[in-house]
Amino acid sequence: MKHIYLNLKRFDVPVELGGVNRLAPVEHWAQTVVHGIQEGLKRYHPAQAEFAVFFPEAYLLPASGARCPGSPVRLGCQGVFRADTAAGGNFGAFTTNRPAHAAAALGCTHTLIGHCEERGDKAGVLAEAGVRNTAAVNRLLNQEVLAAQAAGLSVLYCVGEKSEEQDCWQEVLGEQLDVGLQGADKRRVVIAYEPVWSIGPGKTPADRPYITKIAAFIKERTGGLDVVYGGGLKRDNARMLASIPEIDGGLIALTRFSGEIGFYPEEYLEIVSLYLNH
């Protein structure tokens, strides 16, 4: 089975406030996304691919309400807290944080953990305390993975190396995988590979040989976990990624990178078609 994930980041913010949302007013945004993709995804057999969408938390309930009976759209949140509610234990004293059980109660079946932006945030907080230790970041992410799985969520776990880490990528990715997934149920984990050094305007995208090399390493290190390309599944690379046997899907974010940039459902469906019908 292939895995097509959609991370909507903060694409809800209107253009006039500095965002990229030209799709719908924020009160209708989640419904517009779900309505715009779910019918088109029904053409694919459930065994062919799974489709999960990672929404900002405020939009999970409207997105859940917009799903039709038998919808192929699965809902995910953009991370969970490392602790959770428990019978006879903490009842939810986690102000500002999102416990995994809260995500499950909102209709989530998936969560995204270890995205390069989350890794950067955790590293920045630790640096303010004088700690510069990648293993510490991975230990915190491991707690999130375990909390997510304890609440019944499937995990998309992101790994990737920065430009200054390319010469030691095996050590960097190996630590992210070994520490981050320690004690996890790997049957409910998919790995997203993010070549951080190649993501962003003006940077050179990772090519087929490089992506193949990394995906093969991840599969060997994890005992054969599915690997999706997290550097951005898009029109320009969909067919190339589909031609790599070691890659099992992709993570989509923006669908348009010039002009009126943003996320557009019809363009998302085009990317999915290019990948699955190569």
Side-chain angles (χ1 to χ4, degrees):
M1 181 196 295
K2 298 296 185 181
H3 312 272
I4 307 295
Y5 298 107
L6 171 60
N7 181 20
L8 290 166
K9 301 195 178 186
R10 292 288 355 176
F11 297 165
D12 59 310
V13 180
V15 173
E16 59 269 23
L17 297 178
V20 296
N21 176 18
R22 298 175 176 85
L23 190 61
V26 291
E27 65 269 26
H28 302 303
W29 180 73
Q31 301 96 311
T32 302
V33 171
V34 173
H35 288 152
I37 67 175
Q38 67 183 348
E39 290 301 321
L41 295 178
K42 287 182 179 179
R43 73 186 68 171
Y44 303 103
H45 191 278
Q48 184 177 3
E50 72 163 355
F51 304 97
V53 180
F54 301 105
F55 277 95
E57 184 175 277
Y59 300 95
L60 289 172
L61 279 178
S64 179
R67 294 174 69 244
C68 64
S71 175
V73 175
R74 301 289 177 263
L75 300 183
C77 60
Q78 298 172 339
V80 296
F81 188 48
R82 61 185 179 274
D84 208 343
T85 57
N90 196 308
F91 54 85
F94 303 121
T95 300
T96 80
N97 292 305
R98 181 192 307 110
H101 280 127
L106 288 167
C108 289
T109 57
H110 291 67
T111 189
L112 180 69
I113 292 176
H115 189 282
C116 62
E117 292 157 7
E118 182 189 10
R119 287 182 179 275
D121 176 63
K122 283 181 166 52
V125 172
L126 290 171
E128 285 296 316
V131 177
R132 288 173 174 81
N133 184 335
T134 56
V137 172
N138 290 311
R139 287 194 298 270
L140 290 172
L141 294 173
N142 176 249
Q143 293 175 44
E144 295 177 0
V145 169
L146 299 181
Q149 291 194 332
L153 303 179
S154 294
V155 173
L156 179 61
Y157 180 67
C158 301
V159 301
E161 76 282 17
K162 301 175 184 177
S163 57
E164 64 269 26
E165 297 170 329
Q166 279 191 275
D167 289 340
C168 56
W169 65 267
Q170 290 105 324
E171 290 80 4
V172 171
L173 298 184
E175 179 187 274
Q176 291 175 356
L177 293 165
D178 295 348
V179 177
L181 297 180
Q182 186 173 10
D185 179 359
K186 292 185 178 179
R187 295 170 297 179
R188 291 187 289 138
V189 176
V190 172
I191 305 299
Y193 169 58
E194 298 181 289
V196 184
W197 56 269
S198 76
I199 300 172
K203 296 185 179 180
T204 302
D207 60 17
R208 189 182 193 279
Y210 194 93
I211 295 169
T212 302
K213 174 183 71 173
I214 299 293
F217 171 84
I218 293 172
K219 285 182 179 291
E220 181 179 2
R221 191 79 172 213
T222 62
L225 288 186
D226 283 353
V227 180
V228 303
Y229 185 63
L233 173 59
K234 56 196 76 171
R235 286 194 196 96
D236 295 346
N237 64 12
R239 288 195 174 95
M240 180 272 285
L241 292 171
S243 73
I244 302 176
E246 292 83 0
I247 289 293
D248 305 295
L251 180 60
I252 298 171
L254 291 175
T255 61
R256 191 182 305 175
F257 296 86
S258 61
E260 293 187 336
I261 68 169
F263 172 79
Y264 298 91
E266 67 277 8
E267 296 173 354
Y268 163 85
L269 292 172
E270 179 186 353
I271 295 168
V272 171
S273 178
L274 286 171
Y275 182 82
L276 293 178
N277 298 318
H278 70 284

